[in-house]
Amino acid sequence: MGLGEVTRAGVLAAVEECRDLGREAFLRRYGFGRALTYELVWDGGRYDSKAIAGVAHLYSAGRLLTAADFSGGARTVAHRLRALGFTVEEGTGVGEQPRPVAPQLLLQPRGNARLRGPQNFDRSIRHGIPLTEIDAVLGKHAEPLTALYPDGIARLWGSTPTTQINNEKAKALRNRRPGDDVLFYADNHFIARARILHLFDSTAVARAVWGTDDEDTTWEHVMALGDVEEFERPVFAAPLLSRLDVPSPLRSLTLRNAELHHRVIDLLPTRPRAVSLPSPARPTSALTAKTLLERIGSLHTHRHPGSNEPSRHQPLALLWAASRIAAGKPRLAPWDTFRSEVGPLLAAFGLPGSKVTPEYPFWHLRGSGLWQLHGAPDADGSMPQIGALNAVQPVAGLTQAAADLLTDPLTRLEAVLKLCSTYLDDVDRRQLLDSLGLYGYTTADGLGDTAEDGGQDRERTEAAPGPAERRETLSSRLVRDAAIAKQVKDVHGHACQVCETRLSYRRKPYSEAAHIRGLGTPHNGPDELANLLCLCPNHHVLFDGLEIYVDVDHVVRWTHGGGAVGRLRGHDEHRIDEAYLRYHRTLCELSRPAQQ
């Protein structure tokens, strides 16, 4: 892979994304610094050549090129962009600033309740520490902290010392630096991020802010943080940790270099843009989950000749796009990729007798307000011929706003359900989801505990005499918090919350902790008490198999038919998050046979 794979359409897509996000947000999102030698000039704007080329490669060939990948330097980038017909000039910032250092990524466990993690986060990150409260112990650190926090409120976090010299924590403490990004981790999710502004060691400051633990130690290695952002929707950690080659769950302060940081940027929410007054000439309205679903439900689909049914081309293409977001793939893809992946979907699930024409949704989805297309050949506004698409290789896919919304598991599930129920009601949903790689939606627990081949043993062989053969497989299993599972069982005395059954196994009480929104892909639910039920094995199987659900009144009902099974028994010490029950109900609705 290299610059030779960058297409003109990919460059245009990167330029528009930079224009939408703003220069600094775009550079931070993909881990680039400002151009010091060459800038791309397009439509009255100037753009950082390496950053544009790196993101253009993501949309042209499916992989982001980082700053370290440009072995030929900025001159090679400029040569490729000029070969694609763009103007490249010397940057206006040549000699004005030192070459920026790309940020590393520091993974910071927040700590559980026993370690006072939630309380410390609320106090010193969410609300901040008034410098006047700790002025007596600041000493030489007063001047830099006062300069960093003109409002007088410091955002501080720290770490206890380690006696080892080469473990993950020691290396992280030794090699982190101002400018690095910090991701806060809790309950199998990343919950917030910040930027290191200043580092210092002070036992006195740490004792004043956080006190000491049972062994009289404190978080003496202190970080002063800025650009603190608590995620509206926590980010499931397992995919990001996997890309970083970090074991899950995260147990220690861990540092990863800038190159690895770049490779997980797409899994994190886009940083908020600076607040500014909207231009009267270009009024905009933010896309919300509600308007996303409304636009999905009102696609301008033509009617198939001889039938009153809407065409399925656009809905199937949007399902494909949603599956890319679920799989962590780029939101935009070139025409060849779209045609090779969406064409078979149209052939298998399109209306009987309809033509397989992937160019139709590729072009016409632009009218949905959810779709972008870049680099299309000039065809006087009409849909280009396939030959022109093959020659130019335009890229298309979801808008950044739509893609960001679909990273939320509930919004994505509701979008999939809306597409299926509105346009594909007589299609075998299980088969369709399987074809899209969304077979995790067919159970409540998802694909977290699957073998390397995805857990899909599709081939069956004839029975053979003798002992069963064995085969070696590599597997990856989610690590669940045994303490939380024990807690929900103890609270309910091992009695099933649906049927009150108390089982005994080997002279001990037996029950099972069932996650409401599964931990596995694509659900990415949290491992927390509010997301658990205490069930007997029978009702656990039925709940995970989407055969029963809990309605808004906490009545347990059969998914197929709606009859009542019983009432979900609650407990004052076990608060269930209604958002997780809503997710499971939506999943059950998706699992119902078409036209039930």
Side-chain angles (χ1 to χ4, degrees):
M1 293 185 180
L3 284 172
E5 294 175 297
V6 172
T7 65
R8 181 177 175 84
V11 172
L12 292 173
V15 166
E16 181 162 332
E17 184 170 336
C18 181
R19 182 179 296 169
D20 289 343
L21 293 176
R23 182 178 190 177
E24 295 303 325
F26 180 80
L27 295 176
R28 290 292 305 174
R29 179 181 181 88
Y30 294 107
F32 285 90
R34 286 203 173 201
L36 296 182
T37 49
Y38 296 104
E39 290 180 332
L40 182 148
V41 181
W42 177 258
D43 196 22
R46 304 182 75 91
Y47 303 90
D48 305 276
S49 57
K50 279 191 176 181
I52 292 297
V55 178
H57 192 274
L58 175 69
Y59 296 141
S60 304
R63 174 179 171 265
L64 177 71
L65 291 182
T66 68
D69 292 323
F70 296 106
S71 57
R75 187 177 299 276
T76 304
V77 174
H79 177 75
R80 178 57 184 168
L81 293 175
R82 286 169 177 151
L84 293 171
F86 294 99
T87 299
V88 181
E89 298 178 354
E90 279 197 358
T92 56
V94 174
E96 294 178 1
Q97 56 183 342
R99 182 176 296 276
V101 177
Q104 303 175 104
L105 183 62
L106 186 69
L107 308 180
Q108 173 68 68
R110 183 201 62 187
N112 56 27
R114 182 178 64 82
L115 298 173
R116 301 198 305 274
Q119 299 95 312
N120 288 335
F121 185 88
D122 185 67
R123 169 171 157 73
S124 63
I125 296 296
R126 185 176 289 131
H127 293 102
I129 304 296
L131 292 176
T132 54
E133 288 186 6
I134 58 175
D135 181 65
V137 297
L138 284 177
K140 65 180 181 180
H141 307 298
E143 184 176 351
L145 290 180
T146 301
L148 287 172
Y149 302 108
D151 62 352
I153 305 297
R155 313 287 172 170
L156 304 177
W157 198 258
S159 298
T160 55
T162 176
T163 58
Q164 300 187 43
I165 62 172
N166 208 33
N167 63 358
E168 285 284 4
K169 182 176 181 179
K171 289 187 287 187
L173 290 172
R174 185 168 59 246
N175 297 320
R176 62 185 178 170
R177 62 199 180 206
D180 289 344
D181 281 345
V182 181
L183 282 182
F184 283 91
Y185 173 93
D187 300 325
N188 292 317
H189 286 70
F190 288 108
I191 62 171
R193 68 179 153 200
R195 189 161 299 137
I196 299 177
L197 303 179
H198 180 58
L199 295 167
F200 65 97
D201 294 340
S202 173
T203 302
V205 170
R207 286 178 182 270
V209 175
W210 301 294
T212 60
D213 60 19
D214 295 339
E215 299 177 357
D216 199 35
T217 59
T218 189
W219 295 358
E220 63 186 62
H221 302 296
V222 184
M223 296 185 292
L225 301 175
D227 294 340
V228 176
E229 176 196 358
E230 195 165 359
F231 297 145
E232 181 179 355
R233 303 181 183 93
V235 176
F236 187 53
L240 190 146
L241 292 174
S242 177
R243 284 196 194 181
L244 295 174
D245 194 25
V246 176
S248 181
L250 180 69
R251 300 200 181 277
S252 171
L253 189 71
T254 301
L255 184 68
R256 287 296 181 262
N257 63 31
E259 180 179 356
L260 288 173
H261 184 188
H262 301 159
R263 294 179 183 176
V264 298
I265 288 291
D266 60 309
L267 298 181
L268 296 169
T270 304
R271 284 190 182 273
R273 301 184 217 178
V275 177
S276 59
L277 294 175
S279 169
R282 296 184 62 186
T284 59
S285 57
L287 185 68
T288 65
K290 180 180 178 182
T291 54
L292 172 77
L293 296 175
E294 289 173 350
R295 292 181 185 182
I296 284 175
S298 57
L299 297 176
H300 297 297
T301 56
H302 73 266
R303 300 289 172 173
H304 184 58
S307 167
N308 196 35
E309 294 186 70
S311 167
R312 297 174 182 170
H313 289 65
Q314 292 188 45
L316 287 170
L318 285 179
L319 277 173
W320 167 83
S323 74
R324 288 179 65 84
I325 302 301
K329 296 179 180 179
R331 63 185 178 90
L332 303 177
W335 161 246
D336 271 353
T337 298
F338 183 91
R339 179 179 59 178
S340 65
E341 296 181 4
V342 175
L345 288 175
L346 300 179
F349 301 102
L351 288 174
S354 65
K355 295 181 180 179
V356 180
T357 53
E359 67 275 13
Y360 176 83
F362 188 82
W363 179 262
H364 288 289
L365 267 170
R366 296 175 304 157
S368 67
L370 306 173
W371 195 259
Q372 290 180 339
L373 189 148
H374 303 278
D378 185 5
D380 300 324
S382 58
M383 187 172 69
Q385 297 295 317
I386 292 181
L389 295 176
N390 292 341
V392 177
Q393 287 298 312
V395 299
L398 294 167
T399 63
Q400 188 67 63
D404 287 345
L405 286 170
L406 290 175
T407 59
D408 174 58
L410 177 57
T411 303
R412 186 169 62 243
L413 173 59
E414 290 178 332
V416 170
L417 174 61
K418 187 75 171 179
L419 287 163
C420 289
S421 60
T422 305
Y423 307 101
L424 304 160
D425 204 32
D426 59 347
V427 170
D428 185 324
R429 291 183 186 174
R430 182 176 292 269
Q431 184 181 357
L432 173 60
L433 295 176
D434 184 79
S435 298
L436 287 161
L438 294 174
Y439 32 74
Y441 283 134
T442 60
T443 63
D445 52 356
L447 302 178
D449 294 343
T450 59
E452 186 182 43
D453 61 2
Q456 306 299 310
D457 259 340
R458 303 189 183 281
E459 296 185 7
R460 296 178 178 270
T461 57
E462 295 296 328
E469 294 184 1
R470 295 180 179 270
R471 65 174 179 178
E472 293 184 0
T473 62
L474 296 175
S475 64
S476 174
R477 299 183 67 84
L478 292 169
V479 180
R480 293 170 167 83
D481 191 331
I484 296 176
K486 182 179 184 299
Q487 184 179 356
V488 74
K489 296 175 184 180
D490 289 346
V491 164
H492 293 280
H494 290 273
C496 176
Q497 288 183 256
V498 175
C499 66
E500 300 288 346
T501 297
R502 283 182 170 84
L503 295 175
S504 178
Y505 178 67
R506 293 184 177 180
R507 300 182 182 179
K508 294 181 180 180
Y510 180 83
S511 59
E512 296 181 354
H515 287 88
I516 303 170
R517 193 180 108 193
L519 302 188
T521 304
H523 313 310
N524 300 339
D527 195 14
E528 62 183 22
L529 186 63
N531 189 34
L532 284 177
L533 296 176
C534 179
L535 300 178
C536 67
N538 283 351
H539 283 115
H540 190 178
V541 169
L542 292 172
F543 190 83
D544 278 358
L546 307 179
E547 298 294 336
I548 58 174
Y549 68 93
V550 182
D551 72 11
V552 293
D553 298 316
H554 281 203
V555 174
V556 182
R557 297 188 178 278
W558 293 106
T559 300
H560 310 287
V565 179
R567 177 171 289 277
L568 188 75
R569 178 177 45 79
H571 195 285
D572 290 342
E573 297 179 22
H574 178 206
R575 186 188 67 82
I576 299 171
D577 193 323
E578 293 296 325
Y580 301 142
L581 292 175
R582 175 187 168 193
Y583 184 93
H584 185 269
R585 285 195 296 271
T586 307
L587 200 60
C588 288
E589 190 174 349
L590 180 63
S591 77
R592 293 190 181 104
Q595 296 183 333
Q596 176 174 293

